[in-house]
Amino acid sequence: MTQLIYLNNMYKKEFDAKITDIIDEKFVILDKTCFYPNSGGVECDFGKIISDSGLVYKVIFVKKSNGEIIHEIETDKTCELKKGNIVHGIIDWERRYKLMKYHTSAHVLSAVFAKEAKALITGNSLNVNKGRIDFSVEDFDKEQMQNYIDIANKIIEQNLEVKVYNLTRNEVEQNSALCKLAKGLPPNLDILRIVDIDGYDAQPDGGAHVKSLSEVGKINFLKAENKGAKNRRVYYELIEN
Ligand SMILES: [Zn+2]
């Protein structure tokens, strides 16, 4: 199992690690990594892996498979990386920091939909340019959307701290406020990592977030769509304050 450095240190941009496996000369598995994989509707990190002899390999995709993080490297040259080598990893911080802002903003907006519209969040898709949140609610008034965005921006303006800590599954199950996702808690996890936007929203989450809402910027509403009887979809972008 790859040790996921980003779970406890989301601002770490570089790291040293050992190659535990390499498949087809382009899929690199490390004993630990800062690279966030494509998951939870959030796009993966890009960056590079540098060999101890100084050769640079671009990381073009990162995914999770059976508890391991697979770093796909660009294959325009012969891969000289070998199992057991120590390498240096560097993530594309500009990209990652944007994804962190989008991820935290999505939690704020989802919490507003849950609280104000009693909506269940059914999915999200976040990249460096825009966010999309899907939710399920019976009655939905499109004109209300700007109102929800305004509420979310008011929360962001409070510069709340974003805390990360662990709770047991039992503790989470006894706290209804922690179980908002339509699909429920992830199975087979006894300890759950909680992302807690101080006093406003807390939920189990394995992603990378900013440490304060002061870093998010402002949510700008793009459009809303109805996707069937109960399913709604909203698009937004983050702009600088
Ligand atoms: Zn999340």
Side-chain angles (χ1 to χ4, degrees):
M1 293 257 290
T2 312
Q3 183 198 330
L4 311 177
I5 299 170
Y6 60 81
L7 288 181
N8 297 314
N9 192 343
M10 295 171 270
Y11 287 78
K12 196 165 168 61
K13 307 163 183 76
E14 302 189 23
F15 62 102
D16 289 318
K18 186 197 257 187
I19 297 176
T20 57
D21 206 355
I22 178 156
I23 302 153
D24 295 340
E25 298 203 317
K26 65 171 181 172
F27 299 108
V28 181
I29 303 174
L30 304 170
D31 62 344
K32 51 182 176 293
T33 190
C34 285
F35 282 89
Y36 181 78
N38 231 45
S39 56
V42 186
E43 286 192 356
C44 69
D45 285 329
F46 296 151
K48 51 194 173 184
I49 287 174
I50 305 168
S51 74
D52 55 1
S53 62
L55 291 168
V56 179
Y57 298 88
K58 256 172 124 171
V59 175
I60 55 171
F61 191 71
V62 184
K63 66 176 180 183
K64 198 171 192 176
S65 175
N66 296 323
E68 305 285 9
I69 302 294
I70 320 272
H71 309 76
E72 181 179 352
I73 55 172
E74 201 173 54
T75 51
D76 61 348
K77 60 178 171 249
T78 315
C79 178
E80 296 188 10
L81 299 174
K82 297 275 178 293
K83 190 174 169 175
N85 286 175
I86 301 293
V87 291
H88 187 67
I90 304 176
I91 62 170
D92 174 342
W93 177 248
E94 199 183 320
R95 174 181 170 82
R96 155 66 85 75
Y97 193 46
K98 279 184 189 161
L99 292 169
M100 283 163 59
K101 291 179 189 188
Y102 269 98
H103 198 164
T104 306
S105 70
H107 279 216
V108 174
L109 204 45
S110 299
V112 171
F113 294 148
K115 286 173 205 260
E116 303 291 327
K118 304 278 172 272
L120 268 178
I121 308 306
T122 53
N124 58 256
S125 173
L126 308 172
N127 62 42
V128 294
N129 298 312
K130 67 173 185 287
R132 189 195 89 205
I133 298 176
D134 296 336
F135 56 99
S136 170
V137 65
E138 289 276 356
D139 299 310
F140 180 66
D141 176 359
K142 259 190 180 176
E143 283 72 55
Q144 275 282 12
M145 188 51 73
Q146 186 60 53
N147 185 29
Y148 296 141
I149 303 273
D150 292 344
I151 294 172
N153 279 325
K154 288 255 169 10
I155 303 293
I156 289 170
E157 282 166 21
Q158 292 174 30
N159 298 337
L160 300 175
E161 187 187 349
V162 181
K163 299 169 179 170
V164 175
Y165 50 84
N166 291 327
L167 289 181
T168 65
R169 186 176 193 89
N170 204 18
E171 286 170 319
V172 173
E173 281 170 348
Q174 284 170 12
N175 183 341
S176 59
L178 283 172
C179 304
K180 280 185 290 286
L181 292 175
K183 62 185 189 303
L185 291 176
N188 313 322
L189 280 181
D190 293 329
I191 300 290
L192 290 143
R193 176 179 180 267
I194 307 299
V195 172
D196 184 347
I197 299 172
D198 195 17
Y200 189 70
D201 174 70
Q203 56 180 285
D205 192 89
H209 290 265
V210 291
K211 59 182 184 301
S212 162
L213 294 188
S214 63
E215 297 175 47
V216 165
K218 194 172 175 203
I219 296 175
N220 185 37
F221 173 46
L222 293 175
K223 64 172 176 170
E225 292 172 347
N226 283 329
K227 308 292 277 185
K230 287 191 199 174
N231 296 318
R232 323 293 170 196
R233 175 168 279 187
V234 61
Y235 294 90
Y236 68 94
E237 63 181 354
L238 290 178
I239 52 177
E240 301 288 323
N241 271 321

